Amino acid sequence: MAAPEGLFVLEGRPTAQLIADQLREQIVQGTFRPGQQINESAVAAQLRTSRGPLREALQRLCQEGLLISHRNRGVFVLELSTADIKEIYAVREAVELAASNTLMDAGQDQINDTCRVLKEIIGDMAKHVAVSDWQAIARLDMQFHTTFVAGTGNTRLIRIYETLAAESRMCILSLEVAYPRLDVLVQEHQNLLDLLEAGDRKGLQQAVKRHLQKAVEDLTVTRQDNEITA
Amino acid sequence: MAAPEGLFVLEGRPTAQLIADQLREQIVQGTFRPGQQINESAVAAQLRTSRGPLREALQRLCQEGLLISHRNRGVFVLELSTADIKEIYAVREAVELAASNTLMDAGQDQINDTCRVLKEIIGDMAKHVAVSDWQAIARLDMQFHTTFVAGTGNTRLIRIYETLAAESRMCILSLEVAYPRLDVLVQEHQNLLDLLEAGDRKGLQQAVKRHLQKAVEDLTVTRQDNEITA
DNA sequence: GCATCGCCTATTGTTGACAATTTACAGTTC
DNA sequence: GAACTGTAAATTGTCAACAATAGGCGATGC
């Protein structure tokens, strides 16, 4: 009855999902630029597969909203307008506030487990601050928040947030160095962690709101107005 | 060619999305039962298309979480446990509370537009209450909430909520008549509408919370415990 | 000069065939 | 009779060829 999952579980995942995960990573890393068309034949060849499985993966990313499909024209990488940034961070606020509440209502063990992982991530962030590795900082930033949401154990909330995290990384990447001073950033996350550990529900909620609103300001202030999206 | 109804093609939307929409509707209507395997060849033939486009549509629904894919075994309709119901309604609460806030901060015109549509939906609900048409009531129930969220204009919030609405309809359907007395249900939605129109932010938030928590209780109380899902 | 028409190429959309895997079942052994 | 093994059927995973569409580009006409 109990299948030997351990060995085959890595390759046991559906192909389309594996390809989609690879493409998502390439998108948030900027290998594919916003607005760029995904050439099916070329990308399929690059990933050592054929157009069939690739197209299935593309549909997943279209459903996520990272790609946009135009009939008979192809799929294109999402271009982020200031309106998009506001949307993304509004949803993030909703999700993270809900996660805060759920975590606070959860057992102390669950909170401690989450805090332990968050501590490690902040530690890693501090290391990369020293060398101003923006890409790494952005990745760890979103890893922090994803871990936070994952602490709730709500699989649907987690799935939703993974897309938001990808979009957030695209925001940061597309604006290059829109980050505030890096030590301040680390401090903000440390603050969130402290409030979670202290069980300060109201304080955590307020801190999350401020943290995200500040990010929106940083991301939109330097940006030319391009709310008009084709 | 064996045209799958030129009606499809004339719409500019991608084929996989059209197929996915049809399948989603069939799933929430119970044409495909929870746990049931989707036979690709059979369903493709039923929809007058081939396995390729169908599989692309299935990937979209897997990404949404309405279907679950097991490698080399196929895709299966989601089976809802009590844990799933709690998850779904927890996320709904997060989304609807965020929508409440966004709407309250929006212009009065935007609120009025939304309220006008909500009024019509409540009117339709009242009609179907007379004949106790549960399926129709469930559809209108979710249409009410979807319209509410759509009032924010946040496309990401809307996309997220569409999946939640589908899952909620599956909850209701799988438990057959888990609804409370229908006139009470209509009254609850009327109450939400009144609070929105009155601009009573705090009252609306509390009413939304109560409304959703009550639904979870109704959906879980009669249910055998089947939290253990493979 | 400029707009329009028609061809042409590149790319996507679709299909059917083929390969690989799982599952069920019958046969065998202890 | 129970457990195991090997075969067979059904289903999914993959691929390459074919069809159809959009956009580019030059020719044509005014």
Side-chain angles (χ1 to χ4, degrees), chain A residues 76-90:
Chain A
F76 300 80
V77 179
L78 175 67
E79 286 185 286
L80 292 161
S81 65
T82 55
D84 285 310
I85 295 176
K86 288 171 186 168
E87 274 196 15
I88 292 163
Y89 278 80

Side-chain angles (χ1 to χ4, degrees), chain A residues 126-143:
Chain A
K127 289 176 196 163
H128 286 92
V129 163
V131 291
S132 291
D133 185 347
W134 303 96
Q135 272 270 14
I137 297 283
R139 191 184 71 246
L140 288 167
D141 184 347
M142 291 321 301
Q143 197 180 333

Side-chain angles (χ1 to χ4, degrees), chain B residues 57-225:
Chain B
L58 293 180
Q59 291 302 322
R60 288 185 93 107
L61 296 174
C62 285
Q63 184 64 35
E64 282 191 53
L66 262 48
L67 297 178
I68 297 173
S69 174
H70 297 283
R71 186 182 183 89
N72 291 324
R73 301 209 12 221
V75 300
F76 301 80
V77 178
L78 176 67
E79 285 184 287
L80 291 161
S81 66
T82 56
D84 285 310
I85 295 175
K86 287 172 187 167
E87 274 196 15
I88 292 164
Y89 278 80
V91 182
R92 279 188 60 182
E93 183 177 307
V95 171
E96 298 199 37
L97 286 181
S100 300
N101 277 321
T102 304
L103 265 174
M104 286 295 183
D105 293 333
Q108 194 61 38
D109 290 349
Q110 202 169 338
I111 295 177
N112 290 339
D113 288 347
T114 303
C115 286
R116 184 155 21 81
V117 183
L118 292 179
K119 275 199 187 80
E120 290 177 18
I121 296 172
I122 290 182
D124 289 343
M125 283 177 73
K127 288 176 197 164
H128 287 91
V129 164
V131 291
S132 291
D133 185 347
W134 303 95
Q135 271 271 13
I137 296 283
R139 192 185 68 247
L140 289 168
D141 184 348
M142 291 321 300
Q143 198 180 333
F144 179 95
H145 289 272
T146 302
T147 302
F148 180 77
V149 173
T152 64
N154 187 320
T155 59
R156 284 166 179 83
L157 212 59
I158 294 168
R159 171 161 40 212
I160 289 167
Y161 200 82
E162 274 168 6
T163 299
L164 293 168
E167 291 183 304
S168 296
R169 284 179 68 180
M170 287 178 68
C171 290
I172 295 165
L173 184 69
S174 73
L175 301 187
E176 286 291 323
V177 189
Y179 261 150
R181 286 191 49 213
L182 290 184
D183 53 346
V184 175
L185 192 76
V186 176
Q187 200 175 341
E188 275 185 40
H189 287 97
Q190 181 68 50
N191 183 38
L192 293 174
L193 173 57
D194 292 340
L195 290 166
L196 176 61
E197 269 191 316
D200 183 354
R201 179 187 300 242
K202 205 75 183 177
L204 180 59
Q205 286 181 347
Q206 289 305 318
V208 166
K209 278 190 190 176
R210 277 199 312 273
H211 181 63
L212 292 175
Q213 284 169 3
K214 187 163 165 293
V216 173
E217 289 168 17
D218 290 334
L219 289 170
T220 53
V221 68
T222 61
R223 173 172 268 249
Q224 304 294 348
D225 189 274

Side-chain angles (χ1 to χ4, degrees), chain A residues 11-18 20 24 51-52 55-66 69-72 78 80 83-88 90-91 94-95 98 101-102 153-157 159-160 163-164 167 202 209, chain B residues 8-9 11-18 20 24 52 55-66 69-71 78 80 83-88 90-91 94-95 98 101-102 153-157 159-160 163-164 167 202 209:
Chain A
E11 300 300 330
R13 298 167 59 200
T15 310
Q17 192 177 334
L18 293 169
R24 192 185 302 107
R51 285 178 56 213
R55 282 173 61 90
E56 292 174 12
L58 293 179
Q59 291 303 321
R60 287 185 92 108
L61 297 173
C62 284
Q63 185 63 37
E64 279 194 63
L66 263 49
S69 173
H70 296 283
R71 188 183 183 87
N72 290 325
L78 175 67
L80 292 161
D84 285 310
I85 295 176
K86 288 171 186 168
E87 274 196 15
I88 292 163
V91 182
V95 171
N101 277 321
T102 304
N154 187 320
T155 58
R156 285 166 179 82
L157 213 58
R159 171 159 43 211
I160 289 167
T163 299
L164 292 168
E167 291 183 304
K202 206 74 183 177
K209 278 189 189 177
Chain B
F8 286 174
V9 183
E11 296 205 37
R13 302 168 62 199
T15 309
Q17 191 177 336
L18 294 169
R24 192 186 301 108
R55 282 173 60 91
E56 292 174 12
L58 293 180
Q59 291 302 322
R60 288 185 93 107
L61 296 174
C62 285
Q63 184 64 35
E64 282 191 53
L66 262 48
S69 174
H70 297 283
R71 186 182 183 89
L78 176 67
L80 291 161
D84 285 310
I85 295 175
K86 287 172 187 167
E87 274 196 15
I88 292 164
V91 182
V95 171
N101 277 321
T102 304
N154 187 320
T155 59
R156 284 166 179 83
L157 212 59
R159 171 161 40 212
I160 289 167
T163 299
L164 293 168
E167 291 183 304
K202 205 75 183 177
K209 278 190 190 176

Side-chain angles (χ1 to χ4, degrees), chain B residues 29-48:
Chain B
Q29 284 182 356
T31 306
F32 298 106
R33 297 283 176 81
Q36 180 182 343
Q37 179 171 9
I38 304 293
N39 186 312
E40 297 180 355
S41 302
V43 176
Q46 177 206 325
L47 294 178
R48 302 290 204 278

